[in-house]
Amino acid sequence: MNHISIKNFGPLVDIDCNLGKLNLLIGHNGSGKTFFLKALYTALKTVEQYKRGKETRTANELLEEALYWTFQVGSLSNLVRKGGDFLEFSMQAGNDECFSYSFGATTTKQIKTLDNTFPPTNVNSIFIPAKEIVSLQDVILRLFDEDRAFGFDKTYVDLSRALGKTLKGRNYKFFSEARKQLKEAVGGRIEYDNGKDSWVFRDKDKRIFNINATSEGIKRLGILDSLLGNHYLSQDSVVIIDEAEANLHPEMIHRFMDILVMLAQSGLQIFISTHSYFVIKNLYILAQQNKMSIPSLSFEDGRVEQSDLLDGMPDNPIIGESIEIYKREIEL
């Protein structure tokens, strides 16, 4: 994707931004980062599911379901920003591919205005939420498939389905170095144990541990490694990571940012949100070292201020607060 435009979508008032291979979203709680990421994700999944295999539903029907289960709202009108007449969304890639839709504040279930020029695709995109889901996989799928109840939203359900049993010896060549780095970072790899019918963690010494005895950070990075290893993700996939720093100590964050840059350079398009100055600073340094454009989207009051880490650190409350802490330390 190279451009997104959003108006009156939940907390988002008016957003128009250009995108790169690795994109950073920053802003305080409730500023709209996760809304933006979920809006993007529902559009991506609609494009990917449309006319795939035996799928017979229209793009409108696929989008309606994606919005319903991702945002967990009884009526689509609840997604329209209060005071706004219409919600509008547009996503573009290249010169000719565009996915756009709109609906009003009285819309309940049906989206009538939708245009899609994306061709059918076998590419898969994924949303990795702040909470790891490996140990909850069965619970998430049972709640959705059997109970059909709100609880874990569709991003959790799709991720649970994507985590198929790990394939051995079938790495995509362009992901092999990133998987090697992920394995070194966490000191092993999560795997599906067919005998125990459960996930386990196998460390570098080949010792096996119950997944529930494995740290949240290891499981979360292990999820990305598994998706790269089981061929769910390919070179053209989009990976969305909400709160990239969640459950990771500073050294792990540093290594994780290195890996994300590596994956972006191999072809993946990546979106990450963060509240961490440490994440932002690491990506700023990587942008300089690699001469790489990393668009920075600073969310505030429903709008976005766009900059590029290649040009410098962004102006944002996260940065401002870090500077204030430094000033207070100097005054001691």
Side-chain angles (χ1 to χ4, degrees):
M1 304 309 116
N2 57 23
H3 186 266
I4 285 184
S5 174
I6 302 175
K7 291 184 179 180
N8 298 322
F9 200 137
L12 306 176
V13 180
D14 191 355
I15 290 176
D16 191 83
C17 54
N18 296 316
L19 307 170
K21 295 301 291 183
L22 177 56
N23 304 274
L24 173 68
L25 281 67
I26 54 180
H28 56 74
N29 293 330
S31 60
K33 301 186 302 299
T34 300
F35 245 84
F36 176 95
L37 293 176
K38 287 185 175 180
L40 169 62
Y41 181 72
T42 53
L44 288 169
K45 297 312 286 185
T46 299
V47 168
E48 291 168 6
Q49 285 183 269
Y50 182 56
K51 292 186 176 180
R52 176 177 288 186
K54 297 181 180 180
E55 181 58 70
T56 59
R57 286 173 293 179
T58 66
N60 301 58
E61 291 170 334
L62 291 168
L63 177 62
E64 290 157 8
E65 181 181 75
L67 291 171
Y68 177 78
W69 287 107
T70 300
F71 290 97
Q72 302 200 348
V73 291
S75 170
L76 292 179
S77 63
N78 294 329
L79 295 175
V80 183
R81 188 174 186 273
K82 291 183 179 180
D85 293 328
F86 285 91
L87 176 156
E88 298 177 27
F89 177 95
S90 177
M91 172 180 77
Q92 297 176 343
N95 297 320
D96 302 320
E97 297 173 343
C98 180
F99 179 88
S100 64
Y101 64 89
S102 66
F103 55 83
T106 60
T107 301
T108 55
K109 293 183 179 180
Q110 292 186 328
I111 298 172
K112 296 182 179 180
T113 304
L114 184 151
D115 294 303
N116 176 33
T117 59
F118 279 84
T121 178
N122 290 319
V123 172
N124 296 307
S125 298
I126 202 68
F127 189 114
I128 301 178
K131 184 176 178 60
E132 68 82 21
I133 62 95
V134 176
S135 53
L136 297 170
Q137 192 177 16
D138 292 340
V139 174
I140 293 168
L141 292 177
R142 184 168 61 250
L143 184 66
F144 183 81
D145 292 335
E146 298 178 16
D147 300 339
R148 298 298 284 176
F150 288 165
F152 293 97
D153 68 53
K154 192 65 159 51
T155 64
Y156 288 87
V157 176
D158 291 347
L159 181 55
S160 297
R161 294 201 197 289
L163 286 172
K165 299 176 183 180
T166 305
L167 302 179
K168 299 180 183 296
R170 296 184 61 190
N171 282 347
Y172 283 126
K173 183 178 180 180
F174 37 81
F175 291 155
S176 59
E177 182 58 29
R179 292 201 71 203
K180 176 182 175 183
Q181 294 296 325
L182 279 167
K183 183 178 181 180
E184 291 179 0
V186 302
R189 181 164 283 162
I190 65 169
E191 300 175 352
Y192 194 83
D193 188 317
N194 290 302
K196 296 181 179 180
D197 196 26
S198 65
W199 289 89
V200 298
F201 175 69
R202 185 188 298 272
D203 72 8
K204 61 183 180 180
D205 297 318
K206 298 186 178 181
R207 295 176 298 180
I208 296 177
F209 298 87
N210 186 290
I211 199 67
N212 293 318
T214 306
S215 78
E216 296 276 313
I218 287 177
K219 284 186 281 189
R220 195 157 185 250
L221 293 190
I223 285 172
L224 178 57
D225 177 57
S226 293
L227 295 171
L228 296 172
N230 70 6
H231 287 201
Y232 185 82
L233 296 176
S234 57
Q235 225 171 351
D236 296 322
S237 294
V238 177
V239 177
I240 299 170
I241 305 173
D242 201 11
E243 297 186 23
E245 72 278 10
N247 303 310
L248 301 179
H249 62 76
E251 180 186 352
M252 192 77 82
I253 291 173
H254 171 74
R255 299 191 71 171
F256 189 30
M257 295 305 108
D258 284 344
I259 291 166
L260 291 181
V261 167
M262 186 184 306
L263 288 171
Q265 291 174 330
S266 74
L268 288 181
Q269 185 173 31
I270 300 172
F271 293 81
I272 66 172
S273 71
T274 187
H275 296 113
S276 170
Y277 174 80
F278 199 77
V279 168
I280 300 168
K281 194 68 172 181
N282 268 273
L283 287 178
Y284 164 73
I285 292 170
L286 288 167
Q288 307 307 310
Q289 290 175 338
N290 292 275
K291 306 300 180 187
M292 179 182 181
S293 171
I294 301 180
S296 171
L297 310 180
S298 297
F299 285 70
E300 189 168 3
D301 297 327
R303 292 178 169 80
V304 163
E305 185 71 29
Q306 182 165 355
S307 58
D308 197 310
L309 292 182
L310 187 58
D311 299 326
M313 291 285 281
D315 182 16
N316 185 270
I318 294 174
I319 309 299
E321 184 60 29
S322 300
I323 293 172
E324 287 301 315
I325 291 174
Y326 175 73
K327 288 180 179 178
R328 289 201 297 271
E329 180 182 12
I330 295 299
E331 292 171 357
L332 290 177

